[in-house]
């Protein structure tokens, strides 16, 4: 991350300096260096504004998480999915709160909840850090979790569907199937890459004995499960299989009625978590407030990390360095189904979610392109099937003070490439 951050700054400065010296200054227009300075200051202020905007959602969903944890729901879900997760995360005890928090984060991403997933993810990182043998360095479990998080299978990209509808699309939910294919490919790539690269980026310490790790203070007592659990702490295999089949049965429902289901997701999630807590005799109000108390402190903690990455990205765009890279690359990728308009989305998406969303809006509202053209479907799928990788790394690792990210950056980039490749493949097949 240190190298990437410096490269972005250096390239931006170099391109802006060239334009400052060579280009004639037009009347009434700022110079290249003036534009670069303004972009730096505006993005730094925007990072603080963005963080304050996250306070509300962090407070809300951390409170809901606390109620779910106190009622034992997270432990139940973790035990239900333990057969799959124990193979992916052998360093995390199956009944640890980290497992439940990761499941809630992944579930929120699968349903396209956006900011709703962030508080769950930060909570998961905090719990994973309790198991981390080398503080300040990303553990294998942290890297794998972020790899899955940034490439998560998405059933319903609600924000993109809404934008397509606003742009006059005749089939705004037409990207549900393409997004599902692209994100499935990117998630599989992320998991494989994280596992393979881990051996080339040693943690730097002998792993601790997890059986000796004390449970965190806020972890609830082992709840009484509504289903019989085996001696290993997991439900019988047939129960997990039925649960997974029920989950995958949601896929055709989202394809057929995704637009109708979307408004129910967040209110339904709140009702489910609070209702479960009430049934388990949890004092939902007090527990909710207790869990929400950390929201503001978490938001303040991530401000420096957001300022760093958002300033670097803003400089990269304002200097013209991104355009310098896009022009020659677009000519090379167009024959493979990735025209320059979509290439700009592919390059910008890992760096700036809001920037990529703005580019998407401009492309599908262009009368020469439109939301229902091949390019319109492709850029919509790229937006819905890739993640703002560097934002996620900055926020999640910043929340627990991780400075040495090991192979997390490379894993995220490779997963993003796989997601773009999957989007090109499926959109070329269906709409090319």
């Amino acid at each position: 991350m240190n190298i990437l951050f410096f490269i972005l700054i250096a390239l931006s400065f170099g391109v802006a300096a060239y334009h400052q010296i060579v280009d004639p200054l037009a009347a009434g227009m700022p110079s290249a260096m003036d534009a670069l300075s303004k972009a730096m200051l505006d993005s730094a202020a925007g990072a603080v504004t963005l963080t304050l905007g996250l306070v509300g959602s962090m407070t809300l969903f951390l409170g809901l998480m606390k109620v779910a944890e106190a009622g034992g729901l997270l432990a139940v879900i973790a035990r239900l999915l333990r057969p799959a997760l124990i193979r992916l995360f052998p360093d995390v005890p199956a009944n640890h709160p980290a497992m439940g928090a990761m499941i809630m984060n992944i579930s929120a991403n699968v349903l396209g909840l956006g900011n709703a997933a962030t508080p769950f993810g930060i909570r998961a990182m905090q719990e994973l850090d309790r198991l981390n043998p080398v503080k300040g360095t990303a553990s294998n479990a942290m890297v794998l979790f972020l790899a899955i998080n940034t490439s998560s299978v998405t059933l319903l990209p609600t924000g993109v569907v809404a934008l397509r509808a606003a742009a006059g699309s005749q089939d705004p939910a037409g990207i549900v199937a393409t997004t599902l294919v692209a994100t499935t490919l990117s998630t599989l790539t992320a998991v494989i890459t994280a596992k393979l690269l881990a051996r080339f980026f040693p943690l730097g310490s002998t792993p601790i004995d997890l059986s000796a790790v004390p449970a965190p203070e806020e972890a609830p007592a082992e709840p009484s499960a509504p289903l019989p659990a085996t001696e290993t702490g997991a439900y019988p295999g047939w129960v997990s299989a039925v649960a997974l089949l029920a989950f995958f049965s949601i896929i055709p429902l989202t394809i057929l009625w995704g637009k109708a289901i979307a408004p129910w997701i967040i209110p339904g999630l709140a009702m489910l978590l609070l209702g479960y807590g009430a049934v388990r005799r949890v004092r939902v109000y007090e527990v909710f407030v207790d869990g929400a108390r950390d929201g503001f402190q978490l938001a303040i903690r991530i401000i420096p990390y957001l300022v760093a990455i958002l300033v670097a990205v803003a400089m990269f765009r304002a200097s013209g360095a991104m355009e310098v890279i896009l022009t020659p690359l677009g000519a090379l990728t167009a024959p493979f189904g990735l025209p320059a308009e979509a290439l700009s989305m592919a390059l910008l998406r890992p760096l700036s979610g809001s920037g990529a969303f703005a580019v998407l809006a401009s492309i599908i509202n262009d009368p020469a392109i439109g939301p229902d053209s091949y390019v319109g479907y492709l850029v919509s799928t790229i937006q819905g099937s890739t993640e703002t990788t560097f934002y996620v790394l900055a926020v999640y690792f910043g929340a627990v003070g991780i400075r040495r990210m090991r192979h997390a950056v490379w894993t995220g980039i490779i997963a993003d490439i796989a997601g773009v490749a999957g989007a090109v493949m499926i959109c070329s097949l269906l709409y090319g």
Side-chain angles (χ1 to χ4, degrees), residues 33-335:
M33 281 298 174
D34 284 336
L36 190 64
S37 299
K38 185 175 186 302
M40 293 175 66
L41 296 176
D42 288 349
S43 60
V48 177
T49 302
L50 176 62
T51 304
L52 294 178
L54 288 174
V55 171
S57 62
M58 284 185 177
T59 301
L60 171 63
F61 287 100
L62 283 176
L64 293 175
M65 273 282 290
K66 186 71 173 182
V67 173
E69 181 182 329
L73 180 60
L74 298 186
V76 170
I77 297 175
R79 293 166 72 182
L80 192 64
L81 299 181
R82 183 179 184 274
L85 291 176
I86 197 171
R87 290 171 173 80
L88 287 176
F89 296 94
D91 298 336
V92 181
N95 60 350
H96 194 275
M99 194 68 78
M102 286 191 293
I103 291 170
M104 295 298 291
N105 169 267
I106 294 170
S107 299
N109 277 322
V110 165
L111 295 174
L113 298 185
N115 285 342
T118 302
F120 296 142
I122 290 177
R123 177 62 185 276
M125 290 297 288
Q126 290 177 319
E127 297 297 344
L128 288 174
D129 196 48
R130 296 176 183 272
L131 304 174
N132 189 3
V134 184
K135 302 303 181 184
T137 297
S139 66
N140 289 337
M142 287 178 171
V143 174
L144 179 57
F145 169 63
L146 281 189
I148 295 174
N149 186 281
T150 58
S151 63
S152 180
V153 173
T154 303
L155 294 178
L156 190 61
T158 51
V160 181
V161 170
L163 184 61
R164 287 175 54 80
S169 172
Q170 299 300 309
D171 183 22
I175 63 163
V176 170
T178 58
T179 300
L180 180 59
V181 171
T183 52
T184 299
L185 178 61
S186 65
T187 301
L188 290 175
T189 302
V191 171
I192 294 171
T193 303
K195 293 289 188 180
L196 290 178
L197 292 183
R199 68 187 65 181
F200 299 104
F201 294 83
L203 186 59
S205 176
T206 304
I208 56 176
D209 180 9
L210 295 179
S211 63
V213 176
E217 293 180 3
E218 66 268 29
E222 183 70 14
S224 58
L227 294 172
T230 65
E231 293 180 358
T232 61
Y235 293 124
W238 67 269
V239 176
S240 297
V242 169
L244 289 175
L245 287 175
F247 173 78
F248 284 114
S249 69
I250 299 175
I251 295 176
L253 296 179
T254 59
I255 295 175
L256 293 174
W257 299 295
K259 190 175 180 181
I261 293 174
W264 292 79
I265 294 176
I266 292 180
L269 180 65
M271 188 65 239
L272 171 66
L273 299 181
L274 293 176
Y276 185 87
V279 170
R280 297 300 299 273
R281 300 182 182 277
V282 173
R283 299 176 66 85
V284 291
Y285 176 76
E286 288 87 347
V287 174
F288 176 90
V289 171
D290 184 48
R293 190 173 291 120
D294 293 333
F296 183 77
Q297 295 175 347
L298 282 174
I300 296 301
R301 190 182 305 168
I302 65 177
I303 286 179
Y305 298 88
L306 277 182
V307 169
I309 192 64
L310 292 183
V311 166
V313 171
M315 291 178 65
F316 194 60
R317 295 180 63 192
S319 66
M322 179 170 285
E323 184 179 352
V324 170
I325 294 174
L326 278 180
T327 301
L329 282 181
L332 296 175
T333 60

